[in-house]
Amino acid sequence: GSEMPLLSVPKEVAVGTAMLGIAFATGVLAGFGTPKSSKSLIGKNTPLWQYILDHSLREHPILKKLRLLTVEHPWGRMMVSCDQAQLMANLVKLIKAKKVLEIGVFTGYNALNMALVLPDNGRVIACDINEDYAKIGKPLWKEAGVEHKIDLRIKPAIQTLDELLASGEAETFDFAFIDADKESYNEYFEKCLRLIRKGGIIAIDNVLFGGRVLKPRKDDLAVQSIHRLNEKLLRDSRVSISMLPMADGVTLAFKL
């Protein structure tokens, strides 16, 4: 990818603060996908956070363009955090992935990030139910020269996963990223586990849900669902796991 001056990152952060006000201070700009009242796990407007971005983020110019477009969207807070997306891309590259699943695309920042590191014959099967958001990212996928690597499927993700299983694609995927409706997380995980090869990775986003997993309310189905999956994964002998306090919490499950 092209070189990007690292010092340009805090300026973008400053722009985000001005645009989103207190929402940015609670970490929403980083793409938690959680309500604005949620407390950030790391202060997103602190000098330490800017230091992290200054000294680790290597954002392709077209990724940056898509991030700034997404920030302007009313639901911009749903975007995956840029540092987390970079980790996903690094993992995809590390395991020499060719086939990737993404459940929850939004404007396609993470899909683009992964497509950029895939080989030319690599594919991201990108699942979402709303094409309007993806239309924001599509022209930039093309501009980055990776549009052919992203196979966007607009229908319920469970349907797409079932179709892939039915067509004999079990254990042929290398990596999966789950970041869609939280109530279906367990079902997404189970189907992805069947589709991923041994040694492949499933990354599950929002596993800390702004800290609300500490005391899940009975009427909060999203948090209840995530909490149940977190408890299940702890004891799941089919995978080894790491839960990272990055962004809104991400669990990496490595298929054994």
Side-chain angles (χ1 to χ4, degrees), residues 227-255:
H227 180 57
R228 278 198 303 272
L229 181 58
N230 289 343
E231 292 202 314
K232 169 181 154 172
L233 288 175
L234 176 63
R235 297 171 181 85
D236 198 326
S237 59
R238 300 168 297 173
V239 291
S240 57
I241 62 166
S242 285
M243 183 185 275
L244 309 179
M246 171 179 256
D248 194 31
V250 58
T251 293
L252 302 177
F254 304 83
K255 185 172 176 177

Side-chain angles (χ1 to χ4, degrees), residues 190-248:
E190 287 297 332
K191 291 184 190 296
C192 284
L193 195 61
R194 290 171 62 193
L195 286 162
I196 292 282
R197 64 167 169 87
K198 285 184 180 179
I201 303 171
I202 301 173
I204 306 159
D205 202 16
N206 301 112
V207 295
L208 299 178
F209 216 88
R212 280 154 60 183
V213 288
L214 291 173
K215 288 185 179 176
R217 292 200 324 265
K218 284 183 181 173
D219 61 341
D220 196 335
L221 298 180
V223 178
Q224 288 282 354
S225 172
I226 288 169
H227 180 57
R228 278 198 303 272
L229 181 58
N230 289 343
E231 292 202 314
K232 169 181 154 172
L233 288 175
L234 176 63
R235 297 171 181 85
D236 198 326
S237 59
R238 300 168 297 173
V239 291
S240 57
I241 62 166
S242 285
M243 183 185 275
L244 309 179
M246 171 179 256
D248 194 31

Side-chain angles (χ1 to χ4, degrees), residues 100-165:
V100 172
L101 278 165
E102 182 173 61
I103 300 167
V105 178
F106 191 40
T107 63
Y109 180 91
N110 197 53
L112 172 58
N113 213 348
M114 294 191 293
L116 284 165
V117 300
L118 285 173
D120 199 56
N121 63 346
R123 291 293 176 272
V124 180
I125 307 294
C127 308
D128 211 306
I129 52 170
N130 189 320
E131 197 167 13
D132 291 340
Y133 299 147
K135 280 177 181 169
I136 296 168
K138 264 185 167 182
L140 296 175
W141 300 347
K142 191 171 185 178
E143 193 182 331
V146 297
E147 189 184 30
H148 64 288
K149 297 186 198 177
I150 303 173
D151 181 353
L152 182 63
R153 310 225 178 154
I154 303 295
K155 62 176 79 170
I158 295 295
Q159 202 178 318
T160 297
L161 298 175
D162 283 340
E163 286 167 4
L164 292 169
L165 287 165

